Amino acid sequence: MTAKKKTDKVRQVREVLFMCLGVISACFGLKSFLMPEHFIDGGVTGISLLLSTLTSWNLSYLIIAINIPFIILGYKQIGSVFAFKTAIAIAALSLGLIFIPFQPITHEKVLVAFFGGFFLGGGIGLAMRGGCVIDGTEVLALYISRKSQLTVGNIIFILNIIIFLFAAYFINIDTALYAILTYLSATNTIDFIVNRLEAYTGVTIISEENETIKAFIINDMKRGVTIYKGEGGYLQKKDIDIIYTVVTKLELGKLQDKINEIDPNAFVVQQQIADLKGGVVKRQAFH
């Protein structure tokens, strides 16, 4: 097996694992927290929960029915692989709601709203890490954003405000307020899993001891570095070596301590990186 095939195999296994964990987490959040108290969330899942509460229709069927247009839209906007995986994940979630025997955990409303959103958001985030979605809101928002001046975030916000207003009118204001709490919990969990779980930090270092710092990063941390040739403006120094490297958030403290030890006067700039491709940092993940 070639290195590329091995890497592809590992990636596929990881994606399937993320999808399975996402479905289980979302199912747990719905069956053990939100559904017993007739709470709702934002997005397509929130619409399904709202209709289920108002009509007593089965949530499992509603989730499939309401997500079908978004699966078709995802096929047109993103691709057939994404649409296929999304269809599988949504079908698995629907079956999980029927067959997985999760029981209610608590009836304390604040805990229900918070942890229901936490586990539901965790499920959505894990599914996204697996290359699909179990809530079609993002697909719709992406489509609308390409046809208008609104951003994806603006569109999702507007759609959810409409859902919460419907909940306030057709159910009651308390349910709508708890829905906002659920939505905030879910959104922050999604953001953490998608953007911060493997967050990277780009570090730019300007120091008189650049050779010592560079040797530490390469030999001790096993990370790559890029050297820029620069020129000081304020001090008018010429031919300054500027070190740039990328580390994970778990390694950042170690690097900061070592820089302070080598050169307390070093100038250091840190930037959060949402994702990267290739390089030493990514390769380390597959060993």
Side-chain angles (χ1 to χ4, degrees):
M1 182 181 294
T2 64
K4 185 179 185 303
K5 288 184 177 179
K6 183 179 179 181
T7 299
D8 290 342
K9 196 75 172 177
V10 171
R11 178 181 56 79
Q12 290 169 2
V13 171
R14 288 179 62 193
E15 288 181 350
V16 171
L17 179 61
F18 279 135
M19 287 172 58
C20 293
L21 291 175
V23 167
I24 293 171
S25 179
C27 186
F28 180 66
L30 289 167
K31 291 195 73 173
S32 295
F33 293 97
L34 300 180
M35 290 171 62
E37 300 299 320
H38 302 289
F39 276 20
I40 68 170
D41 183 31
V44 174
T45 306
I47 296 173
S48 303
L49 287 164
L50 179 61
L51 288 176
S52 179
T53 299
L54 293 174
T55 64
S56 297
W57 291 346
N58 191 299
L59 180 64
S60 302
Y61 303 144
L62 284 170
I63 285 177
I64 290 180
I66 296 175
N67 271 294
I68 286 175
F70 301 106
I71 295 172
I72 297 171
L73 192 59
Y75 173 79
K76 294 179 179 179
Q77 292 292 310
I78 301 173
S80 58
V81 174
F82 170 82
F84 176 75
K85 290 165 67 174
T86 294
I88 294 296
I90 291 172
L93 176 61
S94 179
L95 291 173
L97 292 174
I98 297 173
F99 295 109
I100 299 178
F102 288 131
Q103 299 299 317
I105 301 297
T106 179
H107 296 287
E108 172 58 46
K109 293 186 181 297
V110 173
L111 294 179
V112 168
F114 177 81
F115 284 102
F118 175 80
F119 286 107
L120 179 58
I124 294 171
L126 288 168
M128 291 173 70
R129 291 293 297 271
C132 64
V133 296
I134 52 177
D135 186 299
T137 311
E138 286 79 9
V139 178
L140 177 62
L142 179 63
Y143 174 76
I144 296 175
S145 69
R146 291 176 176 176
K147 304 290 184 180
S148 69
Q149 298 298 316
L150 296 173
T151 66
V152 171
N154 294 148
I155 296 162
I156 291 175
F157 178 76
I158 293 169
L159 291 174
N160 286 321
I161 288 296
I162 294 172
I163 293 170
F164 299 147
L165 288 174
F166 268 84
Y169 182 79
F170 288 105
I171 305 178
N172 55 61
I173 189 67
D174 287 349
T175 298
L177 292 174
Y178 281 122
I180 294 172
L181 179 58
T182 301
Y183 169 71
L184 292 174
S185 176
T187 300
N188 280 281
T189 306
I190 294 169
D191 180 59
F192 175 79
I193 290 176
V194 174
N195 297 320
R196 301 179 192 172
L197 193 60
E198 290 183 359
Y200 300 100
T201 301
V203 184
T204 303
I205 308 161
I206 302 175
S207 168
E208 298 287 346
E209 303 293 334
N210 57 73
E211 288 297 328
T212 306
I213 295 172
K214 180 176 72 172
F216 171 75
I217 295 171
I218 294 173
N219 299 324
D220 292 73
M221 299 189 69
K222 308 299 181 185
R223 293 293 179 232
V225 297
T226 299
I227 306 298
Y228 297 101
K229 296 295 182 180
E231 180 177 320
Y234 181 75
L235 298 177
Q236 297 184 345
K237 291 184 177 180
K238 294 186 177 181
D239 298 327
I240 298 174
D241 283 345
I242 302 170
I243 299 173
Y244 182 79
T245 187
V246 177
V247 297
T248 66
K249 65 177 182 178
L250 298 178
E251 298 170 318
L252 184 58
K254 179 181 178 180
L255 178 59
Q256 290 171 330
D257 291 341
K258 194 64 178 181
I259 293 173
N260 288 331
E261 178 186 322
I262 296 172
D263 182 8
N265 297 316
F267 181 69
V268 182
V269 179
Q270 299 171 190
Q271 297 172 304
Q272 293 299 315
I273 299 173
D275 195 13
L276 53 82
K277 182 178 180 181
V280 176
V281 177
K282 277 291 187 181
R283 287 203 299 269
Q284 293 284 342
F286 294 105
H287 296 309

